[in-house]
Amino acid sequence: MTIITFRAHIYCSICQKISTPTESTQTMALTPELQTLTKAFSGLGVDEKALVATLGKSHPEERQSFRKATPHFFKVDERSFERWDDHHVKLLKHEFLRFKNAVVLWTMHPWERDARLAKEALKKGPESYGILVEIACTRSSEELLGARKAYHSLFDHSIEEDVAYHIHGPEGKLLVALVSAYRYEGSKVKDDTAKSEAKTLVNAIQHADKRHPNEDDEVIRILSTRSKPHLKEVYKHYKEISGHNIDEDLDHAVRLKETVQCLCTPEKYFSKVLEVSLRTDVHKHSKKGLTRVIVTRADSDMKEIKEEFKNHHGVSLVEKIEEMANGNYKDFLLTLLARGG
């Protein structure tokens, strides 16, 4: 269970204490302080001001009441010893670090930031390989080249060789091609070529039962070398031919789906990452997407991402963060969001 989901359980505990109050819990169970504390510990980040104001002024009896009213934070062992639950202490450490990590990422040179994000993704394994796609496909050619140079300086390896070493098979071949790309960034597009390559993708994806699209050299060539304006035309022609968007036909090929979205509809991709990161029941690696996306996109396409988020989820990104995040971390994210218009 994550920290974010504690709130409902904690409030249930509070209600039980209120219905059958004991001498040890009456002190805080009926006061706003207990609810302030539980809320300060619940969500993304922590409410530092509330913790200082409430815990700093609390008496021993009040802290005991807090411990007894929050069994998901504290437990009593077989010796009747009351103590923090070690698992939740680890989770709280992550929450206290969110603000620090966001500030550190924001102050880094963008090339260093992307290089370190790529290195971390390789260490974390397959669940984080989408970050490699994100970096390779949503940055400009110069930005990606800069990240590759930074990777050399930081780790004494090339990102290409590390991707090839850690990721094998067709997926590795795709990712090596993507991180090695230096795309044309002009506006010229040959419509006939775009239409022809859309047909190539349709054939490759429709015959996925015979050969996975990841294994098709033409698919990899098109997605790893063509300019983004060209690929957006391919995206348009694909729908005209097949009746579907490319990414809608790639649920069986997650890495290709991420590639197409990052290249052709990045606001859709980032909106999804943000929505998942703000859920209450996701893995800690997914939660990191909130910091990563806001920090890396605040100076570029955050306005489009916010519009997509609002249109798709019916609530603004600002409102969702205000609901789910706490303290300095929340304030910092909202400040960055305000830069994007």
Side-chain angles (χ1 to χ4, degrees), residues 64-108:
Q64 183 183 33
S65 296
F66 173 61
R67 291 193 295 271
K68 290 186 177 299
T70 53
H72 293 89
F73 285 109
F74 298 91
K75 62 182 182 180
V76 178
D77 64 17
E78 65 277 5
R79 299 179 183 84
S80 298
F81 180 68
E82 186 180 65
R83 64 182 180 85
W84 269 102
D85 181 283
D86 290 340
H87 174 65
H88 295 316
V89 170
K90 291 180 181 178
L91 291 176
L92 273 176
K93 287 180 180 178
H94 284 294
E95 298 307 326
F96 275 103
L97 285 172
R98 287 192 193 281
F99 173 59
K100 184 270 288 184
N101 291 339
V103 171
V104 170
L105 279 177
W106 177 248
T107 53
M108 280 184 189

Side-chain angles (χ1 to χ4, degrees), residues 210-226:
K210 298 179 180 177
R211 184 172 65 169
H212 198 285
N214 274 352
E215 300 175 351
D216 192 307
D217 289 342
E218 278 296 280
V219 172
I220 294 176
R221 177 190 65 79
I222 293 167
L223 294 179
S224 64
T225 65
R226 291 302 191 185

Side-chain angles (χ1 to χ4, degrees), residues 266-290:
E267 68 285 350
K268 182 177 179 180
Y269 168 83
F270 285 121
S271 173
K272 180 64 175 178
V273 172
L274 289 169
E275 187 274 326
V276 170
S277 74
L278 288 163
R279 294 176 187 173
T280 60
D281 57 349
V282 294
H283 193 274
K284 63 182 180 181
H285 296 324
S286 296
K287 291 181 186 178
K288 288 184 177 182
L290 178 62

